[in-house]
Amino acid sequence: MSHNGTSLDNLEKGAVVHATSPQEAVGRAVAPRPTKISNPGTLGLFSFASTTLILSLYNARARDIHHPNVVLGMAIFCGGIAQLLAGMWEFPRGNTFASTAFTSYGAFWLSWAVIQIPWFGVRAAFDTAEEFTSALGIYLITWFLVTTFLLIAALRKSIAFIALFGFLAVTFLLLAIGDFYQALNVTRAGGGLGVATAFIAYYIGLSELLAAEDQAVFHLPLGVFPKRIQ
């Protein structure tokens, strides 16, 4: 805690510090004014949920679909670019968790699209299908780790966020195992959990959207934990 009762957290989030004298202001950085950016959380969550839902249904072999090509546009523009933008807009709001999560998963969807598009030659670079699926399994395990780290950070946020990142972590793990061992049933189970993850993200996104409305017809609880008293 700095003098005048201004915490570093408030400075990070753009709080305005008023100097009591010109001498006090000398040598001190001037914090930016609070941002006017609206909450981009719903955009990021809906983009994530929609792309995850489609691919997860494909992984679960819904309607006997075996090829994920239709979701590529969603992966680039919705799960990728839209979520990346949501992450960038969270930075000036001072929300480290959301900016990290949205930017990371936006990058995930863009990188996943690169793997699937033949023009980039990712699949063609592998000698066998087994080598490719093993490489893809390592890719998914890495995202399982990233999601687990975010889950740890979410443990004091809300029940809804714990459910979201918990389900997503297990989804990545099952998909990775499915690729490592060519186990279709495990991949389908990962697809089913991915569908559940998508609807949890929809729920949180709708909750934030309704909370931003002055005359919302109803509100959705997230099970937010009370802040600890310092």
Side-chain angles (χ1 to χ4, degrees):
M1 187 74 71
S2 64
H3 50 274
N4 289 336
T6 302
S7 67
L8 292 177
D9 183 60
N10 288 335
L11 288 175
E12 181 186 46
K13 295 183 178 181
V16 179
V17 178
H18 298 285
T20 57
S21 68
Q23 290 77 16
E24 184 182 353
V26 173
R28 186 172 65 185
V30 178
R33 292 187 178 276
T35 177
K36 297 291 186 180
I37 298 174
S38 62
N39 185 2
T42 296
L43 170 64
L45 287 161
F46 280 4
S47 298
F48 169 82
S50 298
T51 314
T52 300
L53 176 63
I54 296 172
L55 182 58
S56 295
L57 288 171
Y58 294 165
N59 286 332
R61 297 298 188 266
R63 305 290 296 179
D64 202 31
I65 296 171
H66 295 80
H67 303 286
N69 301 58
V70 172
V71 80
L72 285 176
M74 289 287 292
I76 295 171
F77 296 102
C78 193
I81 295 175
Q83 202 172 179
L84 194 69
L85 289 172
M88 293 299 102
W89 287 321
E90 287 285 8
F91 277 107
R93 288 172 55 86
N95 193 338
T96 303
F97 180 87
S99 58
T100 301
F102 287 142
T103 305
S104 295
Y105 291 120
F108 161 77
W109 282 114
L110 290 171
S111 66
W112 182 87
V114 166
I115 294 171
Q116 304 300 323
I117 297 173
W119 183 81
F120 288 97
V122 176
R123 284 176 179 262
F126 293 89
D127 295 329
T128 64
E130 290 75 15
E131 183 187 9
F132 171 72
T133 54
S134 292
L136 197 58
I138 293 174
Y139 169 82
L140 292 170
I141 279 292
T142 301
W143 283 102
F144 160 73
L145 292 174
V146 171
T147 305
T148 301
F149 300 149
L150 289 168
L151 171 61
I152 293 171
L155 290 177
R156 287 296 303 173
K157 286 186 173 295
S158 68
I159 295 173
F161 275 104
I162 292 174
L164 175 63
F165 288 99
F167 271 71
L168 183 57
V170 179
T171 297
F172 276 125
L173 181 61
L174 290 176
L175 293 176
I177 293 172
D179 280 328
F180 280 138
Y181 298 101
Q182 293 294 285
L184 178 59
N185 287 336
V186 177
T187 298
R188 294 182 71 172
L193 273 180
V195 171
T197 301
F199 279 104
I200 295 172
Y202 276 135
Y203 178 91
I204 300 174
L206 180 58
S207 176
E208 294 200 5
L209 181 64
L210 292 171
E213 294 297 314
D214 292 331
Q215 299 183 25
V217 292
F218 60 88
H219 292 280
L220 296 174
L222 296 179
V224 178
F225 297 117
K227 290 186 177 181
R228 293 173 177 173
I229 300 176
Q230 301 295 329

